[in-house]
Amino acid sequence: MNSPSFLEIIEVPAEDRKTKLFEVYAKNRMAKLGEVRFYGAWRKYVFSPNGEVLAVFDSGCLREIAEFCDERTKEWRLAAVTP
């Protein structure tokens, strides 16, 4: 079962780039969350919050953060049910 997506990812046209650039928005388009861009130092595409190259996250980093969030949520739910 697929979860509803809360994100919208849009390719940014650019003639002067060797690699593609994508902007990531909240689904309602009210807030730009960051960019997906090629990061030469790692030779892969990464997510940069708000387009800042100071912080980059590859798919492994994002997966690890998501798993951490899932585990904390499970702990919270168990604690909320257990008196």
Side-chain angles (χ1 to χ4, degrees):
M1 178 178 187
N2 291 337
S3 300
S5 177
F6 297 102
L7 304 176
E8 188 172 351
I9 301 172
I10 299 167
E11 184 174 349
V12 177
E15 297 174 10
D16 60 334
R17 297 183 60 86
K18 291 182 179 180
T19 60
K20 294 182 179 182
L21 174 67
F22 304 88
E23 292 180 335
V24 181
Y25 290 90
K27 192 65 167 186
N28 61 12
R29 286 294 214 75
M30 296 298 288
K32 180 179 170 185
L33 304 175
E35 297 175 349
V36 173
R37 60 175 57 227
F38 191 81
Y39 187 57
W42 291 356
R43 309 227 5 102
K44 60 172 66 176
Y45 278 87
V46 299
F47 175 73
S48 299
N50 297 317
E52 294 293 326
V53 180
L54 299 174
V56 295
F57 305 92
D58 72 355
S59 59
C61 295
L62 294 170
R63 194 173 301 109
E64 195 171 331
I65 292 168
E67 289 171 1
F68 180 83
C69 290
D70 287 345
E71 289 301 316
R72 298 301 74 77
T73 300
K74 287 177 189 174
E75 289 175 7
W76 176 81
R77 287 185 176 152
L78 282 173
V81 174
T82 307

